[in-house]
Amino acid sequence: MSDSAHDETPMLGMDLPEAPAPAASSGPYRVLARKYRPQTFAELIGQDAMVKTLGNAIARDRLAHAFLMTGVRGVGKTSTARLIAKALNCIGPDGQGGPTIDPCGVCEPCRAITEGRHIDVIEMDAASNTGVDDVREIIEAVRYAAVSARYKIYIIDEVHMLSRNAFNALLKTLEEPPPHVKFLFATTEVNKVPVTVLSRCQRFDLRRITPDMLFAHFSAILQKEGVEAEAPAIWLIANAAEGSVRDGLSILDQAIAHADLDGGGKVSAEQVRAMLGLSDRSSIAGLMAAILEGNSGGAIDLARAQYALGIEPVAMVRGLMELTHAITLAKVSRHDDPALAVADRERITDWAQKLGFAPLNRLWQLLLKGHDEVLRANNPLEHLEMLLLRVIYAASLPDPGELAKLLESGGIPAMPVAAAAAATGSERAAADPAPAAGPTTGALTIAQIHRLLESTGHHQLARQVYDDLRILELEPGRLVYAPVSALDGDFARRLGEALFGQTGSRWQVREGTGEGRPSLAQMKAAQRADNEARIRELPVVKAALAAFPDARLVEGDNNQHRSNP
């Protein structure tokens, strides 16, 4: 049964809006959510489409035998069911009226339904009556005509809680009920209602109530209650309600009590923020400024100061996410938050002009991932501090497109290679240009010998020189190399003949003893390792690897020949 059936003062009309009670009243206090429950369809905010459909159905006498109201909590599902019950059973002030979309509210059926005492309007909570036996009682009772009303109406709240057997037992009656019976279902989880039941009902999806509608509704209630409130405070409550009138009225009740105790009777934005545990806008803006400036120490100090004031780390992350969202919307001229002060609007506009979509998107993704981490953390403050550092060092990274442009324009300095060449004793090998093909009698480096062989079609010999040749001595007309198993006994002869053919000079090529200097391939590997180590030390790369631990460095030119020094 409805909780209204157990109201301690049923004759007062628990659902009728009332003027503020005088201070001397001895009656029990009724929370705003019950006191201002809509009593007519005109008072049902945000559901115009449904009201129009019902009005047309009643006017044309095309009433369904079962209605299903679905939507998030607090949007008026149960209230709508009661309004439909009144609309169908209203007889008007003169007792001669029929079904109407505007029930009079004064006839006996209207008053009895409002007070929860009408014998032919039965409310059942499916969360408490889930079994097939509970449904069987309904099936047995529908056979009997209404006692004093036009229709016998069954309101089943949270209908998705019924068991599968209970749903199955109800199907036949739901499909072909007696003409004097109407079923009104309400649920927050319509996906759990069997399709066989959905197909037998006329469904209404009640919409979330927009913040501006809630603002107007709460402002009107505050005026009726004789309570002063700052507009930003009302906007905060409207946004915190998340589309639910009931949730918003519960918060408003609490805010009024808070103001009575601490604020001289006026509801202020500062008090509402403190009550809801929301971070201060100016503090979040300061934290965002520190992030964008790369001020890691300042960001951590601000976070710790907020934490000391009682602001939860996850609330700070949410504040940063809201601000990032606001900046991004401002870039496309779609940001409109009436709760913002002029200074806050100007700051968001300024950031929107300076920041691109790519860094804002990265900032959002980092905060979104960090939100879940902070929410689940054993020590949220530590996780928040690590998140701030990660964001500071990763949010400003260039995206792949920007990075490519920087590389093309020379905006990123090339990695030095002299150290690798010096480590192998081959500065000239790393720097000397390749000679043109053709006879020459000058001194050659091993790199130039490799290129000469490669450019004149001695590809196999060039690969052996690049991969395996470890020089012991190299001077004009003489080359001595370290013994390597990969170089066969005929290698010296073939190399000498190739050099003679290209330089026009006789070359003495022979195998010596000792380790020799690293081959060109080994020098290249050492150079690559050195470059990678230097790249990893760059702040921008350090930040990227810290933010994305699974990332790896990849060479940019995959088409380059592997033997190119």
Side-chain angles (χ1 to χ4, degrees):
M1 295 294 292
S2 167
D3 58 356
S4 59
H6 303 288
D7 199 324
E8 296 179 3
T9 57
M11 296 307 293
L12 293 178
M14 74 166 189
D15 290 325
L16 286 173
E18 299 171 356
S25 173
S26 59
Y29 176 72
R30 295 170 60 224
V31 296
L32 298 179
R34 295 185 64 193
K35 186 175 182 180
Y36 291 97
R37 174 171 278 169
Q39 298 304 311
T40 66
F41 283 104
E43 295 175 6
L44 192 66
I45 61 175
Q47 312 301 340
D48 296 342
M50 181 198 67
V51 173
K52 183 177 181 180
T53 302
L54 283 173
N56 290 342
I58 292 174
R60 297 175 182 177
D61 195 21
R62 298 178 65 88
L63 292 169
H65 57 268
F67 298 88
L68 174 68
M69 273 67 68
T70 179
V72 299
R73 67 193 185 280
V75 293
K77 297 183 297 296
T78 305
S79 295
T80 299
R82 293 175 181 172
L83 289 176
I84 294 174
K86 287 201 292 185
L88 297 183
N89 284 327
C90 178
I91 58 175
D94 58 359
Q96 304 299 315
T100 174
I101 195 64
D102 296 311
C104 65
V106 297
C107 66
E108 176 57 24
C110 283
R111 288 189 291 111
I113 293 172
T114 296
E115 296 166 8
R117 57 180 175 81
H118 201 295
I119 193 172
D120 292 318
V121 178
I122 301 96
E123 290 195 29
M124 185 181 88
D125 176 19
S128 304
N129 303 274
T130 62
V132 67
D133 291 337
D134 301 304
V135 171
R136 192 171 288 122
E137 292 181 11
I138 297 177
I139 297 171
E140 292 295 327
V142 296
R143 295 182 297 175
Y144 303 103
V147 175
S148 61
R150 187 177 295 112
Y151 294 103
K152 178 179 284 189
I153 295 177
Y154 290 89
I155 300 175
I156 303 181
D157 202 6
E158 299 301 335
V159 69
H160 67 274
M161 298 293 288
L162 289 178
S163 67
R164 184 177 63 179
N165 290 338
F167 274 124
N168 290 336
L170 187 61
L171 284 179
K172 188 61 178 177
T173 302
L174 186 60
E175 184 172 17
E176 298 178 1
H180 61 271
V181 173
K182 302 291 183 184
F183 289 96
L184 305 178
F185 300 141
T187 178
T188 54
E189 299 184 52
V190 69
N191 58 301
K192 294 184 179 180
V193 179
V195 177
T196 50
V197 173
L198 294 176
S199 65
R200 290 166 167 81
C201 300
Q202 189 171 102
R203 173 174 168 175
F204 292 104
D205 291 88
L206 276 67
R207 299 179 179 180
R208 288 179 182 269
I209 313 303
T210 60
D212 55 339
M213 289 182 177
L214 290 174
F215 177 86
H217 186 57
F218 297 160
S219 297
I221 289 176
L222 285 167
Q223 187 174 7
K224 293 177 183 178
E225 292 290 312
V227 177
E228 292 185 36
E230 297 175 354
I234 305 175
W235 279 113
L236 286 172
I237 296 172
N239 288 323
E242 297 182 343
S244 169
V245 180
R246 183 174 61 241
D247 286 9
L249 288 175
S250 298
I251 297 172
L252 186 61
D253 244 332
Q254 186 179 356
I256 293 173
H258 192 75
D260 287 339
L261 292 174
D262 303 327
K266 185 174 184 177
V267 179
S268 69
E270 182 179 356
Q271 290 172 332
V272 172
R273 283 191 175 279
M275 182 186 75
L276 296 177
L278 300 175
S279 53
D280 180 64
R281 285 186 186 272
S282 61
S283 299
I284 290 298
L287 192 56
M288 178 65 81
I291 289 173
L292 297 178
E293 293 168 4
N295 183 1
S296 54
I300 289 177
D301 289 342
L302 285 170
R304 289 178 177 176
Q306 286 285 287
Y307 185 74
L309 292 174
I311 305 301
E312 291 298 323
V314 70
M316 287 183 251
V317 179
R318 287 174 184 152
L320 289 171
M321 292 177 69
E322 290 173 1
L323 187 52
T324 303
H325 179 253
I327 296 170
T328 307
L329 289 184
K331 287 191 69 66
V332 293
S333 302
R334 288 297 183 273
H335 179 252
D336 184 21
D337 185 353
L340 283 180
V342 175
D344 293 329
R345 290 175 181 271
E346 292 176 350
R347 183 159 39 196
I348 288 174
T349 302
D350 182 57
W351 278 331
Q353 293 172 349
K354 294 179 179 178
L355 296 173
F357 283 109
L360 284 171
N361 181 61
R362 282 193 297 275
L363 181 59
W364 174 264
Q365 294 297 332
L366 289 166
L367 291 172
L368 183 62
K369 183 175 184 295
H371 176 271
D372 292 339
E373 295 175 356
V374 174
L375 187 63
R376 297 192 303 264
N378 293 328
N379 191 325
L381 181 60
E382 287 183 358
H383 278 68
L384 173 63
E385 292 176 351
M386 294 303 293
L387 171 62
L388 292 175
L389 293 176
R390 184 195 312 167
V391 169
I392 287 171
Y393 285 106
S396 60
L397 288 175
D399 61 24
E402 293 172 345
L403 190 59
K405 291 179 182 178
L406 288 172
L407 288 170
E408 290 176 0
S409 63
I412 296 180
M415 292 298 101
V417 298
T424 61
S426 57
E427 294 90 339
R428 294 176 63 193
D432 285 349
T440 179
T441 57
L444 290 175
T445 66
I446 189 61
Q448 290 171 329
I449 290 174
H450 166 263
R451 290 170 182 164
L452 180 62
L453 295 171
E454 186 72 37
S455 65
T456 55
H458 297 80
H459 300 302
Q460 182 180 5
L461 199 57
R463 282 195 295 272
Q464 288 179 302
V465 168
Y466 184 83
D467 291 339
D468 305 311
L469 189 64
R470 299 170 61 89
I471 297 297
L472 290 168
E473 300 177 33
L474 179 60
E475 56 188 51
R478 185 169 182 270
L479 187 156
V480 182
Y481 60 91
V484 179
S485 59
L487 301 179
D488 56 33
D490 197 38
F491 171 77
R493 180 189 62 78
R494 290 186 294 109
L495 180 57
E497 290 178 356
L499 290 174
F500 173 71
Q502 299 306 316
T503 64
S505 301
R506 296 285 180 183
W507 278 77
Q508 181 186 359
V509 180
R510 68 178 180 85
E511 182 180 280
T513 59
E515 290 293 327
R517 294 196 296 271
S519 68
L520 290 174
Q522 291 171 324
M523 286 191 290
K524 182 68 173 181
Q527 177 183 332
R528 185 183 298 112
D530 181 72
N531 284 350
E532 181 173 334
R534 292 171 182 270
I535 290 173
R536 287 179 178 274
E537 289 302 313
L538 291 175
V540 67
V541 177
K542 270 189 173 181
L545 294 176
F548 308 101
D550 295 333
R552 60 190 181 91
L553 298 178
V554 180
E555 283 194 83
D557 187 2
N558 293 326
N559 296 321
Q560 186 176 6
H561 194 283
R562 73 177 185 90
S563 65
N564 190 14

